[in-house]
Amino acid sequence: ALSQAKAEQPVFYSRTVQHQALRHIRTEARLYQALDEAQFELWYQPQVHLSDRRPVGVEALIRWRLPSGVLVPPKDFMAVAETTGLIRDIDRWVLDRACEAMRRWRNTGNAPERISVNVSAEDIKAADFTEMIVRTLDQHQLPPPTLELELTETTLFEISDKNLTKLNTLREYGVSVAIDDFGTGYSSLSYLHRLPITTLKIDKAFVDDVTHNLTNQAITRTIVWLAKNFNLEVVAEGIETVEQARYLKSLEVHTGQGFLYGRPAPETLLRQRFCE
Ligand code: C2E
Ligand code: MG
Ligand code: MG
Ligand code: MG
């Protein structure tokens, strides 16, 4: 079918489409294999109190280690994982590993308050999403507030009311819910108070040049103001410099995440950091 398409279409067009289709299929097959052969790794990045760098939580971030040793970042496979539905299995694996790690840390008496996992729209659409979360917390004997789900604005505004109800249920159960990359989507402010959320994560794009860019300063100030009014927590993402941290503190952002405090790292490295 592909060679037929090649004959019928202008070459410049069909080559591109063919190439993309083939790459997509190849990635999908490799993702199946990755799950099967345990090629995924879960890395962790600290979230800290900006005042004294005390750890508050960690975000779990997936990595894909190819048999060749090459590490593939999520941006190179998340789109395929989402369109094929494989993301559900991947994120269940992530949640289970994250909760397992949290259990281990709590057993040592040196654990962050919470662990955050990223959730896609596809995950929430699964009929058993709520039960799956509750069951996993249960299995690892974790109190619900130790878990935070991170969803982008796009995800939140794309899912149906029925699926939003699932998040409401989890909120009532005690699980935290954060809006990831906040400010980059198209949220309607009038809708914000109706969402079952606890946290706004200011996107890295605004943090990047927050010390110089007046627009980003205004946006950050507005997000902090919104959070205060809706009684939400604020976390700034992608903090890389002490200047950014100082400026964010002056705007009353109390929690942050970024290379300044620690890059995402495998558990062994994170442990060393927590025990410092
Ligand atoms: P995100 O949830 O917004 O995660 C933050 C991203 O910013 C991470 O990229 C992290 O490594 C990066 N980052 C944090 N601090 C800094 C900094 O100071 N400087 C710079 N340059 N980057 C920083 P990563 O790990 O490549 O993940 C990218 C995105 O992939 C995540 O964005 C999230 O949307 C998605 N993702 C990652 N893991 C999972 C997962 O297990 N499930 C799902 N559904 N999505 C995931
Ligand atoms: Mg996130
Ligand atoms: Mg983010
Ligand atoms: Mg992001």
Side-chain angles (χ1 to χ4, degrees):
L2 282 171
S3 60
Q4 215 178 343
K6 191 178 173 182
E8 286 164 8
Q9 303 286 334
V11 168
F12 68 89
Y13 174 73
S14 72
R15 278 226 179 109
T16 313
V17 171
Q18 243 188 62
H19 183 77
Q20 281 173 355
L22 280 175
R23 225 179 67 175
H24 189 281
I25 291 164
R26 240 180 263 136
T27 307
E28 182 179 359
R30 285 182 187 157
L31 281 173
Y32 270 109
Q33 199 179 3
L35 265 173
D36 233 42
E37 297 176 4
Q39 293 170 6
F40 291 118
E41 297 178 9
L42 206 52
W43 286 24
Y44 305 92
Q45 185 181 31
Q47 296 178 350
V48 303
H49 293 283
L50 293 182
S51 57
D52 55 6
R53 296 186 175 218
R54 235 178 337 118
V56 195
V58 293
E59 178 173 3
L61 294 158
I62 198 169
R63 296 291 181 270
W64 179 11
R65 177 85 63 187
L66 298 179
S68 65
V70 169
L71 206 61
V72 187
K75 71 167 170 44
D76 291 348
F77 63 90
M78 270 306 158
V80 173
E82 274 164 8
T83 53
T84 56
L86 263 174
I87 191 72
R88 289 191 188 178
D89 294 318
I90 295 173
D91 280 343
R92 276 164 202 240
W93 178 86
V94 167
L95 179 74
D96 193 53
R97 291 307 311 272
C99 288
E100 186 187 276
M102 190 58 156
R103 178 71 265 156
R104 226 171 11 252
W105 298 334
R106 284 169 73 92
N107 288 347
T108 68
N110 190 10
E113 279 163 43
R114 62 166 189 243
I115 190 153
S116 306
V117 298
N118 294 284
V119 168
S120 297
E122 274 311 304
D123 298 332
I124 306 174
K125 290 177 194 165
D128 67 338
F129 178 71
T130 314
E131 293 76 24
M132 186 269 299
I133 302 269
V134 171
R135 195 188 330 118
T136 310
L137 284 168
D138 236 46
Q139 270 166 2
H140 298 285
Q141 295 172 289
L142 292 176
T146 58
L147 179 67
E148 181 170 73
L149 307 176
E150 295 193 1
L151 301 91
T152 62
E153 279 168 89
T154 320
T155 297
L156 273 169
F157 292 93
E158 178 188 290
I159 60 177
S160 66
D161 283 355
K162 192 185 92 203
N163 286 322
L164 207 55
T165 305
K166 295 178 186 170
L167 286 177
N168 258 304
T169 307
L170 288 168
R171 265 301 303 133
E172 280 160 20
Y173 188 62
V175 171
S176 298
V177 179
I179 305 190
D180 207 348
D181 307 344
F182 189 72
T184 59
Y186 298 93
S187 352
S188 143
L189 293 186
S190 61
Y191 200 62
L192 203 55
H193 76 282
R194 285 173 42 202
L195 293 172
I197 53 170
T198 48
T199 313
L200 300 179
K201 293 191 79 179
I202 304 175
D203 192 71
K204 179 180 183 302
F206 306 117
V207 172
D208 274 344
D209 55 357
V210 78
T211 52
H212 306 299
N213 184 315
L214 294 180
T215 306
N216 287 356
Q217 292 176 359
I219 290 171
T220 304
R221 229 183 255 118
T222 305
I223 295 175
V224 172
W225 179 87
L226 270 174
K228 212 174 254 169
N229 280 276
F230 290 122
N231 205 12
L232 302 170
E233 206 186 315
V234 173
V235 177
E237 290 192 276
I239 303 176
E240 293 180 345
T241 69
V242 287
E243 289 77 22
Q244 288 167 348
R246 198 176 303 135
Y247 191 83
L248 289 163
K249 270 186 278 185
S250 78
L251 296 187
E252 290 183 74
V253 175
H254 303 298
T255 312
Q257 180 178 347
F259 291 178
L260 178 64
Y261 307 105
R263 289 175 182 255
E267 189 180 342
T268 42
L269 293 176
L270 186 86
R271 283 286 285 279
Q272 288 169 9
R273 244 183 251 143
F274 267 110
C275 297
E276 277 170 2

